[in-house]
Amino acid sequence: MKKTIKATKRNIIGARVRQARLKHNPAVSQDDLAGRLAGQGIVMDRTAVSRIENQSRYAMDYEAAAIARALKVTVAWLFGETR
């Protein structure tokens, strides 16, 4: 049996998702973000958004792209590639 190290951080976009959510005026709530994602066909509830922000949930590539669109930022920005 292969032993793996339990990763404490499961994604690298969590902090940026929260930052992008809160920089809007008015701020976008986690529930609002989940609703925006639902409008794109991505089923994610508020707790899943919270877990992504806390880096305790993996974020799939299509989810990262949808989150970027919903928050009007680039995927590169979410990944910390641009300022």
Side-chain angles (χ1 to χ4, degrees), residues 9-46:
K9 295 182 179 179
R10 297 181 184 249
N11 68 61
I12 61 173
I13 67 169
R16 289 285 191 130
V17 170
R18 180 174 176 82
Q19 183 181 355
R21 237 184 5 87
L22 297 178
K23 80 175 185 178
H24 283 271
N25 190 14
V28 175
S29 71
Q30 291 175 337
D31 201 38
D32 289 340
L33 177 56
R36 290 180 184 194
L37 294 172
Q40 296 183 52
I42 306 296
V43 178
M44 185 181 299
D45 62 6
R46 186 206 56 80

Side-chain angles (χ1 to χ4, degrees), residues 13 17 33 37 44 52 63-72 78:
I13 67 169
V17 170
L33 177 56
L37 294 172
M44 185 181 299
I52 288 173
E63 292 173 331
I67 290 168
R69 283 190 302 272
L71 295 174
K72 296 181 172 64
L78 278 183

